[in-house]
Amino acid sequence: MTSLRRHRVLLALFVIVASFVLSTPASAQDAPATQEDHSQHMNMAMGTTWQFMQDGVVFPAYNHQGGLRGGDEFAVPHWWMGMASRNTSRGLFTVTGMLSLEAAAHGKDGYRELFQSGEVVDDAPLIDHQHPHDLFMEIAGVWRLSLSDRTAFTVAGGPAGEPALGPVAFMHRPSAAEVPFAPLGHHTFDSTHIAFGVVTAAVDHGRWTVEGSVFNGREPDEHRWDFDFGQLDSVSGRLWFRPDDRWEFQVSTGHLNDPEALEPGDVERTTVSGAWLERAGDDFTAVAGGWGLNVTDHGNRHATFGEINRHRGLTSLFSRVEVLQVETAKLLGTEGAASVEHDRVDTVGAFTFGAVRDFLRVRGFEGGLGAAITFYAVPEVLEPSYDSHPLSLQVFFRLRIPSARGRMWNMRMAQPMTVMRPGGAATQ
Protein backbone atom coordinates (compact mmCIF):
# COMPACT_ATOMS: atom_id res chain seq x y z
CA MET A 1 0.00 0.00 0.00
CA THR A 2 1.46 3.38 -0.98
CA SER A 3 1.94 6.05 1.68
CA LEU A 4 -0.72 8.32 0.15
CA ARG A 5 -3.21 5.46 -0.02
CA ARG A 6 -2.41 4.51 3.57
CA HIS A 7 -3.14 8.03 4.78
CA ARG A 8 -6.36 8.14 2.81
CA VAL A 9 -7.39 4.96 4.62
CA LEU A 10 -6.45 6.55 7.97
CA LEU A 11 -8.48 9.64 7.13
CA ALA A 12 -11.42 7.43 6.19
CA LEU A 13 -11.12 5.69 9.58
CA PHE A 14 -11.18 9.10 11.27
CA VAL A 15 -14.44 9.91 9.51
CA ILE A 16 -15.97 6.51 10.38
CA VAL A 17 -15.06 6.85 14.07
CA ALA A 18 -16.30 10.42 14.18
CA SER A 19 -19.54 9.51 12.43
CA PHE A 20 -20.18 6.82 15.02
CA VAL A 21 -19.44 9.20 17.88
CA LEU A 22 -21.52 12.03 16.46
CA SER A 23 -24.45 9.77 15.71
CA THR A 24 -24.56 8.32 19.25
CA PRO A 25 -27.27 9.90 21.44
CA ALA A 26 -25.92 12.17 24.13
CA SER A 27 -27.36 9.96 26.86
CA ALA A 28 -25.32 7.04 25.56
CA GLN A 29 -22.05 8.96 25.32
CA ASP A 30 -21.28 10.99 28.37
CA ALA A 31 -22.65 12.84 31.32
CA PRO A 32 -24.69 16.00 30.70
CA ALA A 33 -23.04 18.74 28.68
CA THR A 34 -20.23 20.61 30.40
CA GLN A 35 -19.77 24.35 30.60
CA GLU A 36 -17.54 24.07 27.55
CA ASP A 37 -20.25 22.31 25.54
CA HIS A 38 -22.64 25.18 26.15
CA SER A 39 -20.03 27.86 25.47
CA GLN A 40 -19.41 26.46 22.00
CA HIS A 41 -22.82 27.63 20.92
CA MET A 42 -23.27 30.79 22.94
CA ASN A 43 -21.87 32.63 19.95
CA MET A 44 -25.19 32.17 18.17
CA ALA A 45 -26.81 34.49 20.70
CA MET A 46 -24.50 37.33 19.72
CA GLY A 47 -25.87 40.36 17.98
CA THR A 48 -25.33 41.12 14.31
CA THR A 49 -22.64 43.72 14.99
CA TRP A 50 -18.97 42.85 14.54
CA GLN A 51 -17.11 41.65 17.61
CA PHE A 52 -13.36 42.24 17.62
CA MET A 53 -10.46 40.90 19.64
CA GLN A 54 -6.69 40.94 19.36
CA ASP A 55 -3.63 39.54 21.03
CA GLY A 56 0.08 39.92 20.52
CA VAL A 57 3.46 39.60 22.16
CA VAL A 58 7.01 40.80 21.59
CA PHE A 59 10.14 39.35 23.22
CA PRO A 60 13.15 41.70 22.86
CA ALA A 61 15.92 39.40 24.07
CA TYR A 62 19.63 39.08 24.55
CA ASN A 63 20.29 35.63 23.12
CA HIS A 64 23.42 33.66 24.02
CA GLN A 65 23.81 30.29 22.34
CA GLY A 66 26.75 28.42 23.83
CA GLY A 67 29.23 25.86 22.59
CA LEU A 68 31.31 25.80 19.42
CA ARG A 69 28.34 26.64 17.17
CA GLY A 70 26.96 29.38 19.39
CA GLY A 71 27.10 33.16 19.45
CA ASP A 72 25.51 36.25 20.93
CA GLU A 73 22.87 38.50 19.41
CA PHE A 74 19.80 40.62 20.02
CA ALA A 75 16.60 38.87 18.94
CA VAL A 76 12.98 40.03 18.80
CA PRO A 77 10.52 37.13 18.33
CA HIS A 78 6.99 38.51 18.03
CA TRP A 79 3.56 38.13 16.44
CA TRP A 80 0.16 39.82 16.35
CA MET A 81 -3.22 38.12 16.04
CA GLY A 82 -6.63 39.57 15.31
CA MET A 83 -10.14 38.25 14.92
CA ALA A 84 -13.48 39.75 13.90
CA SER A 85 -16.75 37.82 14.23
CA ARG A 86 -20.29 38.60 13.15
CA ASN A 87 -23.45 36.58 13.61
CA THR A 88 -25.55 36.16 10.46
CA SER A 89 -28.79 34.40 9.64
CA ARG A 90 -26.71 31.51 8.27
CA GLY A 91 -24.24 31.12 11.09
CA LEU A 92 -21.24 32.83 12.63
CA PHE A 93 -18.70 34.35 10.24
CA THR A 94 -15.18 35.05 11.48
CA VAL A 95 -12.13 36.60 9.85
CA THR A 96 -8.75 35.82 11.40
CA GLY A 97 -5.33 37.31 10.78
CA MET A 98 -1.83 36.83 12.11
CA LEU A 99 1.16 38.98 11.18
CA SER A 100 4.87 39.17 12.01
CA LEU A 101 7.78 41.45 11.09
CA GLU A 102 10.44 39.00 12.23
CA ALA A 103 12.02 38.99 8.78
CA ALA A 104 12.80 42.69 9.21
CA ALA A 105 14.08 42.17 12.75
CA HIS A 106 16.23 39.09 12.11
CA GLY A 107 16.93 38.89 8.39
CA LYS A 108 16.64 35.71 6.35
CA ASP A 109 18.50 33.58 8.90
CA GLY A 110 16.19 34.30 11.83
CA TYR A 111 17.58 34.00 15.34
CA ARG A 112 20.19 31.57 16.69
CA GLU A 113 18.97 28.31 18.21
CA LEU A 114 21.27 25.31 18.64
CA PHE A 115 20.19 22.06 16.93
CA GLN A 116 17.30 23.76 15.14
CA SER A 117 16.93 22.96 11.44
CA GLY A 118 14.31 23.43 8.77
CA GLU A 119 13.69 25.45 5.60
CA VAL A 120 16.28 26.92 3.25
CA VAL A 121 18.33 30.10 2.90
CA ASP A 122 20.48 30.85 -0.16
CA ASP A 123 20.01 27.29 -1.49
CA ALA A 124 21.42 25.75 1.70
CA PRO A 125 19.70 24.18 4.73
CA LEU A 126 19.12 26.58 7.60
CA ILE A 127 21.02 25.12 10.56
CA ASP A 128 21.23 26.23 14.21
CA HIS A 129 18.75 29.03 13.50
CA GLN A 130 14.99 29.37 13.80
CA HIS A 131 13.68 30.90 10.59
CA PRO A 132 11.66 34.12 10.83
CA HIS A 133 7.92 33.92 10.37
CA ASP A 134 6.33 35.22 7.21
CA LEU A 135 4.61 38.60 7.25
CA PHE A 136 1.27 36.89 6.59
CA MET A 137 1.13 34.04 9.07
CA GLU A 138 -2.63 33.68 8.69
CA ILE A 139 -5.39 35.27 6.64
CA ALA A 140 -8.50 33.13 6.77
CA GLY A 141 -12.26 33.08 6.96
CA VAL A 142 -14.35 30.76 9.11
CA TRP A 143 -18.04 29.95 8.75
CA ARG A 144 -19.66 28.08 11.64
CA LEU A 145 -23.22 26.74 11.55
CA SER A 146 -24.99 25.40 14.62
CA LEU A 147 -26.86 22.19 13.79
CA SER A 148 -28.23 21.54 17.28
CA ASP A 149 -27.61 22.42 20.90
CA ARG A 150 -24.49 20.22 20.88
CA THR A 151 -23.44 19.97 17.25
CA ALA A 152 -21.92 22.45 14.80
CA PHE A 153 -20.35 22.34 11.35
CA THR A 154 -17.41 24.57 10.41
CA VAL A 155 -15.62 25.29 7.15
CA ALA A 156 -12.49 27.44 7.15
CA GLY A 157 -9.79 28.41 4.73
CA GLY A 158 -7.80 31.13 3.11
CA PRO A 159 -4.57 32.14 1.38
CA ALA A 160 -2.59 31.60 4.61
CA GLY A 161 -3.60 29.32 7.43
CA GLU A 162 -3.05 26.02 9.16
CA PRO A 163 -4.39 22.56 8.33
CA ALA A 164 -5.83 20.09 10.83
CA LEU A 165 -2.48 18.59 11.82
CA GLY A 166 -0.62 18.52 15.12
CA PRO A 167 -1.28 20.08 18.52
CA VAL A 168 -2.14 23.73 18.99
CA ALA A 169 0.79 25.69 17.54
CA PHE A 170 3.34 26.86 20.09
CA MET A 171 2.38 30.56 19.71
CA HIS A 172 -1.13 29.73 20.98
CA ARG A 173 -0.27 27.27 23.76
CA PRO A 174 -0.63 28.76 27.27
CA SER A 175 2.01 26.27 28.40
CA ALA A 176 4.49 28.04 26.07
CA ALA A 177 3.23 31.59 26.59
CA GLU A 178 6.36 32.78 28.40
CA VAL A 179 8.97 30.89 26.35
CA PRO A 180 10.53 33.35 23.88
CA PHE A 181 11.82 30.83 21.32
CA ALA A 182 10.30 28.11 19.14
CA PRO A 183 10.66 24.48 20.22
CA LEU A 184 13.26 22.31 18.47
CA GLY A 185 10.42 19.97 17.48
CA HIS A 186 8.74 22.76 15.53
CA HIS A 187 9.17 20.89 12.23
CA THR A 188 7.53 17.80 13.66
CA PHE A 189 4.60 19.32 15.52
CA ASP A 190 3.56 22.64 13.99
CA SER A 191 5.62 23.60 10.92
CA THR A 192 2.39 23.56 8.90
CA HIS A 193 0.90 26.42 10.92
CA ILE A 194 1.72 28.58 7.88
CA ALA A 195 0.34 26.90 4.76
CA PHE A 196 -0.18 29.11 1.72
CA GLY A 197 -3.50 27.66 0.66
CA VAL A 198 -5.70 25.56 2.95
CA VAL A 199 -9.33 24.44 3.30
CA THR A 200 -10.60 22.69 6.44
CA ALA A 201 -13.98 21.21 7.37
CA ALA A 202 -14.89 20.25 10.93
CA VAL A 203 -17.81 18.77 12.86
CA ASP A 204 -17.96 19.11 16.63
CA HIS A 205 -20.44 17.35 18.86
CA GLY A 206 -20.20 17.82 22.59
CA ARG A 207 -16.76 16.68 23.66
CA TRP A 208 -15.63 15.47 20.23
CA THR A 209 -14.40 17.27 17.11
CA VAL A 210 -13.26 15.74 13.83
CA GLU A 211 -11.44 17.84 11.22
CA GLY A 212 -10.07 17.24 7.73
CA SER A 213 -7.94 19.49 5.52
CA VAL A 214 -6.54 19.81 2.03
CA PHE A 215 -3.62 22.21 1.77
CA ASN A 216 -0.39 23.28 0.10
CA GLY A 217 2.21 21.18 1.89
CA ARG A 218 5.28 23.06 0.62
CA GLU A 219 7.11 24.98 3.32
CA PRO A 220 7.46 28.76 2.83
CA ASP A 221 10.61 29.98 1.09
CA GLU A 222 13.13 32.52 2.41
CA HIS A 223 11.23 35.49 0.90
CA ARG A 224 8.97 36.34 3.82
CA TRP A 225 6.96 39.23 2.40
CA ASP A 226 4.86 37.43 -0.23
CA PHE A 227 2.56 34.43 -0.65
CA ASP A 228 4.06 31.10 -1.72
CA PHE A 229 0.97 29.63 -3.32
CA GLY A 230 0.92 26.08 -4.63
CA GLN A 231 -1.39 23.20 -5.35
CA LEU A 232 -3.58 21.83 -2.56
CA ASP A 233 -1.75 18.53 -2.82
CA SER A 234 -1.55 17.48 0.84
CA VAL A 235 -4.19 16.06 3.18
CA SER A 236 -4.62 15.69 6.95
CA GLY A 237 -7.14 14.65 9.56
CA ARG A 238 -7.42 15.32 13.27
CA LEU A 239 -9.64 14.09 16.11
CA TRP A 240 -10.08 16.09 19.34
CA PHE A 241 -11.51 14.93 22.66
CA ARG A 242 -12.20 17.27 25.60
CA PRO A 243 -13.36 15.41 28.69
CA ASP A 244 -13.96 18.73 30.50
CA ASP A 245 -13.08 22.42 30.40
CA ARG A 246 -9.49 21.81 31.47
CA TRP A 247 -8.34 18.92 29.30
CA GLU A 248 -8.00 18.43 25.56
CA PHE A 249 -6.41 15.63 23.56
CA GLN A 250 -5.74 15.24 19.86
CA VAL A 251 -4.49 12.62 17.42
CA SER A 252 -3.71 13.62 13.86
CA THR A 253 -2.12 12.31 10.69
CA GLY A 254 -1.19 13.93 7.42
CA HIS A 255 0.43 13.39 4.05
CA LEU A 256 2.70 16.33 3.10
CA ASN A 257 3.53 16.35 -0.58
CA ASP A 258 7.19 17.24 -1.20
CA PRO A 259 7.40 19.82 1.62
CA GLU A 260 11.19 20.37 1.66
CA ALA A 261 12.90 22.41 -1.07
CA LEU A 262 16.23 20.56 -0.88
CA GLU A 263 14.97 17.10 0.05
CA PRO A 264 12.60 15.72 -2.60
CA GLY A 265 10.07 13.29 -1.23
CA ASP A 266 6.88 13.19 0.77
CA VAL A 267 6.48 13.24 4.53
CA GLU A 268 3.93 11.23 6.50
CA ARG A 269 3.36 12.95 9.84
CA THR A 270 1.55 11.60 12.90
CA THR A 271 1.14 13.39 16.22
CA VAL A 272 -0.53 12.74 19.57
CA SER A 273 -0.79 15.38 22.30
CA GLY A 274 -2.60 16.41 25.44
CA ALA A 275 -2.99 19.72 27.28
CA TRP A 276 -4.38 20.89 30.60
CA LEU A 277 -5.26 24.43 31.68
CA GLU A 278 -6.65 25.39 35.09
CA ARG A 279 -7.43 28.95 36.08
CA ALA A 280 -8.13 30.64 39.39
CA GLY A 281 -8.81 34.31 38.68
CA ASP A 282 -5.72 35.70 36.98
CA ASP A 283 -3.60 32.77 38.15
CA PHE A 284 -3.28 29.67 36.03
CA THR A 285 -1.32 26.49 35.45
CA ALA A 286 -0.90 25.13 31.93
CA VAL A 287 0.67 21.81 30.94
CA ALA A 288 1.11 20.27 27.49
CA GLY A 289 2.96 17.32 26.02
CA GLY A 290 3.11 15.37 22.82
CA TRP A 291 4.78 12.82 20.56
CA GLY A 292 5.30 13.13 16.83
CA LEU A 293 6.73 11.08 13.96
CA ASN A 294 7.92 12.18 10.51
CA VAL A 295 8.22 9.28 8.06
CA THR A 296 10.36 10.26 5.04
CA ASP A 297 12.08 8.60 2.11
CA HIS A 298 15.39 8.92 3.95
CA GLY A 299 14.38 7.71 7.40
CA ASN A 300 11.99 8.22 10.31
CA ARG A 301 12.37 10.83 13.04
CA HIS A 302 10.60 10.87 16.40
CA ALA A 303 10.12 13.87 18.70
CA THR A 304 8.56 14.47 22.10
CA PHE A 305 7.97 17.59 24.17
CA GLY A 306 6.62 18.59 27.56
CA GLU A 307 5.80 22.10 28.78
CA ILE A 308 4.55 23.68 31.98
CA ASN A 309 3.76 27.30 32.80
CA ARG A 310 2.71 28.28 36.32
CA HIS A 311 1.56 31.89 36.75
CA ARG A 312 0.76 33.18 40.20
CA GLY A 313 0.43 36.85 41.11
CA LEU A 314 3.13 38.68 39.15
CA THR A 315 5.43 35.69 38.64
CA SER A 316 5.53 32.96 36.00
CA LEU A 317 7.71 29.87 36.23
CA PHE A 318 8.04 27.80 33.07
CA SER A 319 9.86 24.81 31.66
CA ARG A 320 10.12 23.01 28.33
CA VAL A 321 11.69 19.57 27.88
CA GLU A 322 12.35 18.09 24.45
CA VAL A 323 13.85 14.82 23.27
CA LEU A 324 14.04 14.42 19.51
CA GLN A 325 15.87 12.69 16.72
CA VAL A 326 17.89 15.02 14.48
CA GLU A 327 19.36 14.57 11.01
CA THR A 328 23.02 14.20 11.90
CA ALA A 329 24.48 14.71 8.42
CA LYS A 330 22.46 17.89 7.95
CA LEU A 331 23.65 19.35 11.25
CA LEU A 332 27.26 18.47 10.48
CA GLY A 333 27.04 20.20 7.10
CA THR A 334 30.27 20.31 5.11
CA GLU A 335 32.34 19.83 8.27
CA GLY A 336 31.80 16.13 8.57
CA ALA A 337 28.76 14.96 6.67
CA ALA A 338 30.95 12.65 4.57
CA SER A 339 31.92 10.76 7.73
CA VAL A 340 28.35 9.64 8.59
CA GLU A 341 25.52 8.01 6.69
CA HIS A 342 23.19 10.43 4.93
CA ASP A 343 20.15 8.92 6.65
CA ARG A 344 21.63 8.77 10.14
CA VAL A 345 19.59 10.16 13.02
CA ASP A 346 20.75 10.78 16.58
CA THR A 347 18.91 11.84 19.73
CA VAL A 348 19.27 15.32 21.23
CA GLY A 349 17.78 16.54 24.50
CA ALA A 350 16.99 20.16 25.38
CA PHE A 351 15.90 21.18 28.88
CA THR A 352 14.72 24.78 29.36
CA PHE A 353 13.87 26.48 32.65
CA GLY A 354 12.89 30.10 33.18
CA ALA A 355 10.86 32.75 34.96
CA VAL A 356 9.14 36.06 34.22
CA ARG A 357 8.30 38.79 36.72
CA ASP A 358 5.61 41.28 35.68
CA PHE A 359 6.22 44.88 36.67
CA LEU A 360 4.24 46.87 34.08
CA ARG A 361 0.47 46.87 33.66
CA VAL A 362 -0.70 50.05 31.97
CA ARG A 363 -3.81 50.44 29.79
CA GLY A 364 -3.91 46.73 29.12
CA PHE A 365 -0.21 46.32 28.33
CA GLU A 366 1.54 43.62 30.36
CA GLY A 367 5.32 43.88 30.63
CA GLY A 368 7.70 41.61 32.47
CA LEU A 369 11.40 40.82 32.75
CA GLY A 370 12.41 37.23 32.26
CA ALA A 371 15.26 34.82 31.76
CA ALA A 372 15.58 31.29 30.40
CA ILE A 373 18.43 28.79 30.42
CA THR A 374 18.71 25.66 28.27
CA PHE A 375 20.87 22.59 28.91
CA TYR A 376 21.50 20.04 26.17
CA ALA A 377 22.17 16.32 25.98
CA VAL A 378 24.45 15.96 22.95
CA PRO A 379 25.13 12.68 21.11
CA GLU A 380 28.80 11.74 20.90
CA VAL A 381 28.97 12.15 17.13
CA LEU A 382 27.97 15.83 17.45
CA GLU A 383 30.19 16.74 20.40
CA PRO A 384 33.19 17.80 18.22
CA SER A 385 30.94 20.34 16.47
CA TYR A 386 28.77 21.52 19.38
CA ASP A 387 30.75 20.72 22.55
CA SER A 388 29.70 18.10 25.06
CA HIS A 389 27.73 20.45 27.34
CA PRO A 390 26.66 23.62 25.51
CA LEU A 391 24.50 26.08 27.42
CA SER A 392 22.09 28.69 26.08
CA LEU A 393 20.71 31.71 27.89
CA GLN A 394 18.16 34.42 27.13
CA VAL A 395 17.41 37.55 29.12
CA PHE A 396 14.30 39.24 27.77
CA PHE A 397 11.51 41.74 28.19
CA ARG A 398 8.07 40.31 27.45
CA LEU A 399 5.35 42.75 26.38
CA ARG A 400 1.77 41.73 25.66
CA ILE A 401 -0.60 44.13 23.95
CA PRO A 402 -4.05 44.99 25.37
CA SER A 403 -6.67 42.28 24.85
CA ALA A 404 -9.89 43.23 26.57
CA ARG A 405 -11.66 39.97 25.69
CA GLY A 406 -8.89 37.66 26.88
CA ARG A 407 -5.77 36.07 25.47
CA MET A 408 -6.14 34.10 22.24
CA TRP A 409 -4.88 30.85 23.71
CA ASN A 410 -5.66 27.38 22.35
CA MET A 411 -6.76 28.94 19.08
CA ARG A 412 -6.67 27.15 15.75
CA MET A 413 -7.91 28.24 12.35
CA ALA A 414 -10.98 26.02 12.06
CA GLN A 415 -12.24 26.79 15.56
CA PRO A 416 -11.38 30.24 16.86
CA MET A 417 -12.69 31.17 20.28
CA THR A 418 -16.38 31.86 20.53
CA VAL A 419 -16.77 33.07 24.11
CA MET A 420 -14.26 34.76 26.41
CA ARG A 421 -13.84 34.10 30.10
CA PRO A 422 -13.62 37.26 32.20
CA GLY A 423 -10.07 38.23 33.07
CA GLY A 424 -8.29 35.60 31.04
CA ALA A 425 -8.16 33.06 28.28
CA ALA A 426 -10.91 32.27 25.84
CA THR A 427 -12.65 28.93 25.53
CA GLN A 428 -14.20 27.27 22.56
Side-chain angles (χ1 to χ4, degrees), residues 6 16 29 61 65 78 81 88-89 102 163 311 335 339 357 385 389:
R6 182 170 66 251
I16 293 170
Q29 283 190 69
Q65 297 288 306
H78 65 272
M81 299 166 278
T88 73
S89 59
E102 287 182 350
H311 176 81
E335 296 178 7
S339 64
R357 178 69 175 182
S385 296
H389 300 288

Side-chain angles (χ1 to χ4, degrees), residues 64 67 70 83 110 126 130 154 173 200 210 234 240 286 327 388 396:
H64 167 76
M83 184 175 74
L126 185 60
Q130 169 60 35
T154 302
R173 292 199 297 263
T200 296
V210 62
S234 302
W240 290 92
E327 297 173 274
S388 57
F396 57 89

Side-chain angles (χ1 to χ4, degrees), residues 6-352:
R6 182 170 66 251
H7 270 73
R8 285 174 174 168
V9 170
L10 289 172
L11 291 176
L13 290 174
F14 268 131
V15 173
I16 293 170
V17 172
S19 298
F20 173 78
V21 171
L22 299 180
S23 63
T24 303
S27 60
Q29 283 190 69
D30 300 301
T34 65
Q35 176 185 351
E36 179 185 15
D37 299 326
H38 291 297
S39 70
Q40 287 184 344
H41 303 285
M42 287 177 63
N43 58 328
M44 295 306 169
M46 291 168 50
T48 57
T49 59
W50 286 97
Q51 304 290 322
F52 299 94
M53 71 173 299
Q54 68 168 357
D55 198 2
V57 65
V58 58
F59 287 98
Y62 163 73
N63 177 27
H64 167 76
Q65 297 288 306
L68 302 176
R69 292 277 193 94
D72 299 280
E73 65 182 359
F74 180 73
V76 194
H78 65 272
W79 45 84
W80 173 89
M81 299 166 278
M83 184 175 74
S85 297
R86 183 175 184 269
N87 200 24
T88 73
S89 59
R90 298 185 177 182
L92 181 72
F93 180 67
T94 303
V95 177
T96 64
M98 191 167 180
L99 306 174
S100 175
L101 296 174
E102 287 182 350
H106 302 136
K108 294 189 295 184
D109 291 345
Y111 55 81
R112 294 176 182 269
E113 190 171 25
L114 292 181
F115 300 104
Q116 185 67 276
S117 67
E119 301 199 8
V120 174
V121 172
D122 296 330
D123 298 321
L126 185 60
I127 302 298
D128 297 321
H129 286 75
Q130 169 60 35
H131 62 76
H133 284 115
D134 284 65
L135 170 63
F136 301 106
M137 298 174 67
E138 180 169 308
I139 300 178
V142 186
W143 176 67
R144 182 176 175 86
L145 177 65
S146 180
L147 303 178
S148 71
D149 290 341
R150 291 172 55 85
T151 306
F153 170 75
T154 302
V155 62
E162 58 174 351
L165 182 60
V168 171
F170 73 92
M171 302 85 59
H172 304 301
R173 292 199 297 263
S175 59
E178 304 287 20
V179 187
F181 286 179
L184 294 181
H186 173 55
H187 285 266
T188 300
F189 293 104
D190 46 29
S191 65
T192 56
H193 79 93
I194 302 178
F196 286 109
V198 58
V199 177
T200 296
V203 176
D204 60 83
H205 177 78
R207 304 177 181 188
W208 298 87
T209 301
V210 62
E211 303 169 303
S213 299
V214 294
F215 61 100
N216 169 20
R218 190 76 164 183
E219 290 193 347
D221 61 25
E222 63 194 85
H223 306 292
R224 303 293 174 178
W225 308 102
D226 58 0
F227 293 90
D228 303 318
F229 293 129
Q231 295 182 357
L232 304 185
D233 53 10
S234 302
V235 296
S236 67
R238 182 165 58 188
L239 181 67
W240 290 92
F241 174 60
R242 299 181 187 83
D244 57 38
D245 284 357
R246 299 171 299 172
W247 288 97
E248 66 175 10
F249 301 91
Q250 70 85 28
V251 57
S252 58
T253 185
H255 171 87
L256 282 66
N257 186 70
D258 202 20
E260 298 278 355
L262 297 182
E263 297 180 3
D266 300 340
V267 173
E268 319 297 339
R269 180 171 296 170
T270 301
T271 75
V272 178
S273 66
W276 178 73
L277 173 63
E278 184 170 57
R279 303 186 60 88
D282 290 335
D283 295 341
F284 68 89
T285 302
V287 180
W291 166 86
L293 171 65
N294 279 338
V295 178
T296 72
D297 294 340
H298 50 282
N300 304 340
R301 298 188 302 277
H302 297 260
T304 61
F305 79 92
E307 296 170 340
I308 184 169
N309 184 12
R310 171 62 172 144
H311 176 81
R312 185 171 184 178
L314 300 177
T315 302
S316 294
L317 301 176
F318 62 86
S319 179
R320 172 186 285 159
V321 175
E322 296 187 84
V323 179
L324 69 158
Q325 293 177 314
V326 297
E327 297 173 274
T328 305
K330 179 186 286 188
L331 290 179
L332 288 175
T334 57
E335 296 178 7
S339 64
V340 301
E341 301 86 352
H342 175 70
D343 296 343
R344 175 168 176 164
V345 297
D346 286 278
T347 302
V348 169
F351 311 94
T352 300

